[in-house]
Amino acid sequence: MTSTAAATAVDPIAERAAVAVAHPNIALVKYWGKRDEAMFLPVTGSLSMTLDIYPTTTTVRLIEGSADTVVLNGHTAIGQAHTRVVRFLDMIRARAGRAEHALVDSTNAGPTGAGLASSASGFAALATAAAAVYGLDADARTLSRLARRGSGSASRSIFGGFAVWHAGEGDGEAGDLSSYAEAIEGDALDPALVVAVVDHGAKAVSSREAMRRTCATSPLYRPWADSSAADLDEMRKAIARNDLPAVGEIAERNALGMHASMLAARPAIRYLSPQSIAVLDRVLALRAEGVAAYATIDAGPNVTVLCARADAQRVAAALVELGDFVAPTVAHLGPGAALVTGRER
Ligand code: PMV
């Protein structure tokens, strides 16, 4: 990429490029299942914490060409990865009444497609940069709704700290307007999340396909969705009263229930590996030793462990002892998506 360091303007439209940074979020009450696939409307509300690690940096530059080019982690994207971004840009262009094509260049500091929310940070950064460069006047709620259309969980990465993504009501347009994330109070809890990467590889079944199959075939899906709605209410109260053990217990049962619903899908979806189970066992053992540590797992084998900031190093050390296969990274509450500048860095 050429540098425009000499430029002084920061107006994205004048500059024809915008750069945004967003961080992944880990759901403590999960989003699993859509009621409207086209609009990315969830069956249940969810609640997450945005992390301060693994940012995605995305540049959207308007170009003269007749097609969009998408570069992900230094490689030109083709197939589905390309189509997903182009569809997203089409949606932004339609809203903005603009037609120019773009070069999208996005880099993840963390593992991509491994169940560590790279699509959340990716589409939150893309929504923020694309809205700016195409001149959409979008507040945070609108950005959250736009990001949702790229990847549901991205709706939450627009916000820092804890965020709730409301399921909203109805389908289509009504659902679209009512299904957005917003930040909630909770910074006083100040937890740590120890991210135990046991596998950097991309998952075999996408979360989109896995959700679809779980909803359509798992007899455990409805019970999980019903209990998840109750988990969300309880989680909000637990965060409000700064109750880390309650937050951890709700998060762990919610995630294990989600994986149970997937295991009961036909055919079964199993993201958990022997290494994931080893981490889960160690977390249980830590609790028996008196450390308030609780596990959550997204659509992949990697486990994240919620604990108090003061316990994070002890938890990370316990996971390292399991063997070479675990590489723990300690994260805390991180910031929401932000436009870095209208011009390139
Ligand atoms: O937004 P998606 O399609 O990547 O789905 C995310 C699903 C989970 O990470 C498993 C749960 C969640 O709420 O983030």
Side-chain angles (χ1 to χ4, degrees):
M1 286 242 160
T2 51
S3 166
T4 54
T8 50
V10 291
D11 174 2
I13 302 173
E15 282 292 306
R16 297 179 67 82
V19 186
V21 175
H23 288 75
N25 69 78
I26 295 292
L28 303 180
V29 176
K30 304 291 187 194
Y31 146 58
W32 196 252
K34 297 181 183 68
R35 67 176 191 277
D36 179 332
E37 285 247 352
M39 281 287 177
F40 288 76
L41 298 174
V43 173
T44 56
S46 55
L47 184 150
S48 64
M49 113 177 216
T50 298
L51 308 186
D52 60 353
I53 59 168
Y54 299 158
T56 297
T57 305
T58 300
T59 302
V60 181
R61 168 178 298 283
L62 302 185
I63 54 173
E64 302 294 335
S66 57
D68 299 310
T69 299
V70 181
V71 179
L72 300 178
N73 291 325
H75 301 283
T76 303
I78 52 167
Q80 255 196 335
H82 176 260
T83 308
R84 235 176 131 181
V85 173
V86 170
R87 286 212 183 117
F88 189 83
L89 292 175
D90 284 344
M91 176 189 72
I92 300 275
R93 283 187 284 250
R95 278 170 190 245
R98 301 276 294 265
E100 304 99 309
H101 287 100
L103 167 64
V104 174
D105 189 346
S106 186
T107 306
N108 277 330
T112 301
L116 284 171
S118 55
S119 66
S121 52
F123 278 100
L126 180 61
T128 305
V133 84
Y134 282 108
L136 267 188
D137 185 17
D139 59 11
R141 182 172 295 185
T142 305
L143 283 178
S144 174
R145 285 174 40 233
L146 292 173
R148 192 197 75 228
R149 303 278 295 274
S151 183
S153 55
S155 63
R156 300 182 308 237
S157 272
I158 295 297
F159 301 97
F162 290 100
V164 170
W165 170 18
H166 303 289
E169 276 164 30
D171 292 341
E173 173 97 11
D176 177 34
L177 285 169
S178 58
S179 187
Y180 52 84
E182 63 187 342
I184 57 165
E185 276 301 312
D187 290 5
L189 193 64
D190 191 29
L193 261 194
V194 182
V195 181
V197 176
V198 298
D199 188 347
H200 278 83
K203 54 196 163 215
V205 186
S206 71
S207 53
R208 186 174 301 200
E209 161 57 20
M211 272 182 210
R212 193 180 289 148
R213 196 190 305 168
T214 309
C215 291
T217 70
S218 172
L220 300 191
Y221 179 68
R222 241 309 123 194
W224 174 80
D226 291 344
S227 66
S228 198
D231 283 347
L232 181 55
D233 285 345
E234 280 190 48
M235 179 64 87
R236 293 190 68 151
K237 289 178 192 147
I239 290 175
R241 64 174 189 268
N242 254 337
D243 186 343
L244 185 72
V247 168
E249 268 167 34
I250 299 163
E252 193 173 282
R253 75 186 185 210
N254 187 269
L256 293 177
M258 178 186 80
H259 283 272
S261 75
M262 289 186 229
L263 286 168
R266 298 165 189 183
I269 299 146
R270 184 174 59 83
Y271 286 120
L272 306 177
S273 69
Q275 288 81 5
S276 325
I277 303 293
V279 174
L280 289 175
D281 280 346
R282 192 68 189 93
V283 169
L284 276 182
L286 276 165
R287 284 222 287 280
E289 292 160 23
V291 182
Y294 304 87
T296 182
I297 313 172
D298 280 345
N302 300 311
V303 183
T304 47
V305 183
L306 183 81
C307 61
R309 184 182 272 265
D311 290 331
Q313 291 311 327
R314 177 164 174 194
V315 170
L319 298 183
V320 166
E321 278 169 19
L322 288 174
D324 284 355
F325 65 86
V326 194
T329 305
V330 177
H332 299 103
L333 289 173
L339 209 53
V340 178
T341 164
R343 57 194 157 127
E344 272 185 289
R345 289 187 301 177

